[in-house]
Amino acid sequence: MSIQKPKGTQDLLPGVVEKWQYIEEKARDVCRRFNYKEIRTPIFENTELFQRGVGETTDIVEKEMYTFPDKGDRNMTLRPEGTAGVVRAYVENKLYGEPDITKLYYIGPMFRYEQPQAGRYRQFHQFGIEAIGSVDPSLDAEVIAMGYLFYKELGLQGVKVEINSVGNPSCRAVYREALQTFFAPVKDKLCKDCQSRYDRNPMRILDCKVDTQYGAGAPSILDFLDEECSTHFAKVQRHLTDMGIEYVINPRMVRGLDYYTHTAFEYKAAGIGAIDTISGGGRYNGLVGTIGGSALDQPGVGFGLGLERVLLVLEAQGVQVPGVRPLDVYLIGMGETAENEVARLLFALRSGGLKAEKDYLSRKMKAQMKSADRFAAKFTVIVGEDELSRGTAMVKTMATGEQEEIELSRLVEALKAKLAP
Ligand code: HAM
């Protein structure tokens, strides 16, 4: 049997890959305007980075990581997310030495051993940003606004922003106790995962897909925020309102990673099946210290947007995105001398910036014309022995069927002029 791709992965073939390029270009364009610079970190890291960074009690670290010993018996993990690696790179390369805060973005594959379904893969791709070095709530709002603008400019309709505050470690400790008190009477009825979450991370019970009936009436984190946290949260909301970004507060939103403090947010979209969260992020004051040592601690905030989910929404909403760019020119040579000229001309056209192609299968004129059609070429250029003897080529405008003889010496310039908008 032939070998097939691993479960939960995709081949991104021509025809679809152009959509990815378009989405990635939009991401880069938004980052440029918001003054974020690209960073590329390794796809595998020491496992300890994610254990410490993402958190031991998260599903990601407990169940979903691709972890393996390398040949030197080092414990390695394919990155399940981007934040931990970026923070490690920030610390290791002393990016905090810059006079300003550090604003970085990344686009690339992430790996989680999850049950594949629509919008959920084992190798997926994120566009993420991380802004490190400021506690300013306007930065939280900037990050939320950036994701919002990215989706909007791609043409996604009805993307909703949900926000919450998960407080700081001290108000969370009090909230945690309140949750344990609330869930204590039903503890034995909770699913196995939640029974262990009860002691380790009771907030995650609110996020459980199995135990939904027990969460009703649970205390809200928002009632446990101290003054610093509620002021921060109020300021983020004020900035979002001023920017005209609609949001709803979802006090039950629990993100699946342990590093969040203060603002947590998610983007949601309807009509794409069971998964309606298309991405999320939040603030992570304390993570830089966890990874780099407390002396280095710097606050941070960012998001990770799943690109497969962008595509899912684009397709569900029938948004047209550019496909393969058609050919500018298809070149046909009739006869051996003409074929030599075609090879030379093809290179001249391509060097001149045109997208050009020819036949490589020695097919008849008719089959070559068909190829020109299939590539949706704007012009077909035919070089026969007769034209060659006159130093010309026949140029056919495919849209109109109009034909014109043009001197070879000015062919490239003439075609460029015809193609100019
Ligand atoms: P996350 O919520 O774990 O956050 O993932 C962010 C997004 O990645 C998800 O909302 C989804 O779009 C996509 N995603 C996650 N898992 C899968 C999967 N198995 N298949 C397809 N898409 C998936 C983070 O990763 C944080 N690092 C975000 C962040 C950055 N927070 C602060 N800075």
Side-chain angles (χ1 to χ4, degrees):
M1 209 171 72
S2 61
I3 299 170
Q4 303 196 323
K5 62 181 180 297
K7 184 173 173 183
T9 66
Q10 293 190 97
D11 295 316
L12 301 174
L13 304 176
V16 170
V17 100
E18 291 74 15
K19 297 183 183 178
W20 283 77
Q21 290 168 349
Y22 175 71
I23 293 168
E24 288 166 10
E25 268 164 38
K26 177 55 76 186
R28 290 179 197 285
D29 174 40
V30 170
C31 287
R32 183 185 50 75
R33 283 180 273 154
F34 282 71
N35 197 27
Y36 284 69
K37 294 180 189 150
E38 184 172 0
I39 183 167
R40 300 186 187 192
T41 62
I43 281 173
F44 62 96
E45 298 266 5
N46 287 298
T47 301
E48 193 192 344
L49 174 69
F50 304 113
Q51 289 168 333
R52 245 207 273 168
V54 176
E56 295 277 11
T57 66
T58 59
D59 282 355
I60 296 178
V61 171
E62 277 186 343
K63 306 179 193 163
E64 297 170 358
M65 294 203 303
Y66 278 90
T67 296
F68 56 96
D70 72 4
K71 291 193 195 298
D73 230 11
R74 296 172 203 91
N75 197 357
M76 295 293 162
T77 292
L78 300 184
R79 63 182 187 192
E81 59 100 55
T83 312
V86 169
V87 168
R88 183 211 36 77
Y90 170 86
V91 171
E92 193 169 334
N93 298 286
K94 302 188 173 51
L95 300 183
Y96 44 82
E98 292 194 4
D100 257 306
I101 70 161
T102 306
K103 304 211 290 186
L104 301 167
Y105 80 92
Y106 49 91
I107 301 173
M110 309 287 163
F111 306 84
R112 295 185 194 175
Y113 192 83
E114 292 195 86
Q115 214 36 55
Q117 64 181 94
R120 178 169 292 149
Y121 297 91
R122 290 184 176 172
Q123 173 171 336
F124 62 97
H125 299 78
Q126 278 186 359
F127 156 40
I129 65 164
E130 312 296 347
I132 307 174
S134 166
V135 291
D136 186 341
S138 72
L139 194 57
D140 307 40
E142 167 178 307
V143 167
I144 296 171
M146 230 174 125
Y148 176 86
L149 192 69
F150 168 72
Y151 288 131
K152 186 173 164 196
E153 292 189 354
L154 279 174
L156 268 64
Q157 306 279 330
V159 173
K160 299 244 165 14
V161 182
E162 289 192 0
I163 61 169
N164 191 19
S165 172
V166 294
N168 57 25
S170 71
C171 36
R172 218 164 33 233
V174 186
Y175 179 56
R176 199 187 140 93
E177 274 178 30
L179 276 181
Q180 282 171 330
T181 309
F182 176 82
F183 283 114
V186 292
K187 187 182 170 193
D188 296 341
K189 295 185 188 139
L190 299 175
C191 72
K192 255 212 163 60
D193 279 345
C194 282
Q195 292 191 9
S196 108
R197 285 173 187 146
Y198 179 88
D199 294 312
R200 285 146 50 93
N201 193 350
M203 280 176 79
R204 299 291 326 277
I205 303 176
L206 299 174
D207 201 24
C208 180
K209 303 280 173 290
V210 186
D211 289 326
T212 42
Q213 76 269 37
Y214 300 115
S220 160
I221 177 87
L222 298 180
D223 295 328
F224 290 80
L225 297 183
D226 62 17
E227 186 161 349
E228 181 216 343
C229 293
S230 27
T231 306
H232 185 93
F233 194 38
K235 286 187 177 165
V236 174
Q237 291 174 55
R238 161 83 205 263
H239 289 303
L240 290 175
T241 306
D242 288 350
M243 289 189 277
I245 292 172
E246 279 180 48
Y247 62 88
V248 289
I249 297 172
N250 175 2
R252 300 177 63 99
M253 182 205 300
V254 180
R255 306 266 307 124
L257 305 100
D258 278 355
Y259 46 62
Y260 292 115
T261 57
H262 296 279
T263 320
F265 59 90
E266 286 183 345
Y267 301 92
K268 306 233 167 178
I272 52 164
I275 299 176
D276 63 348
T277 301
I278 52 172
S279 56
R283 181 165 272 287
Y284 45 85
N285 302 349
L287 180 63
V288 178
T290 304
I291 289 173
S294 51
L296 274 182
D297 201 14
Q298 287 286 344
V301 55
F303 66 54
L305 314 189
L307 298 186
E308 285 77 5
R309 293 186 192 173
V310 173
L311 265 153
L312 209 60
V313 181
L314 284 175
E315 268 155 34
Q317 298 184 347
V319 180
Q320 289 301 314
V321 294
V324 183
R325 197 184 125 196
L327 275 187
D328 294 323
V329 185
Y330 192 86
L331 268 176
I332 300 177
M334 306 309 296
E336 202 176 313
T337 335
E339 271 164 25
N340 291 336
E341 180 56 14
V342 159
R344 186 199 67 81
L345 215 47
L346 190 61
F347 183 63
L349 287 168
R350 289 167 172 171
S351 305
L354 302 185
K355 182 171 176 177
E357 189 53 288
K358 77 170 187 83
D359 166 77
Y360 301 93
L361 298 170
S362 309
R363 289 174 306 171
K364 301 238 155 53
M365 168 91 167
K366 209 169 150 197
Q368 293 197 36
M369 287 304 282
K370 256 195 191 150
S371 274
D373 271 339
R374 225 185 26 248
F375 285 124
K378 296 186 189 115
F379 297 96
T380 304
V381 172
I382 303 160
V383 186
E385 301 292 338
D386 284 355
E387 284 90 3
L388 209 54
S389 65
R390 290 195 292 274
T392 63
M394 188 60 77
V395 175
K396 182 173 176 189
T397 307
M398 298 301 271
T400 58
E402 200 183 308
Q403 300 207 26
E404 180 187 353
E405 204 166 334
I406 297 181
E407 283 152 45
L408 288 172
S409 56
R410 54 175 206 96
L411 184 69
V412 178
E413 288 317 311
L415 284 168
K416 275 168 86 169
K418 281 176 185 289
L419 283 160

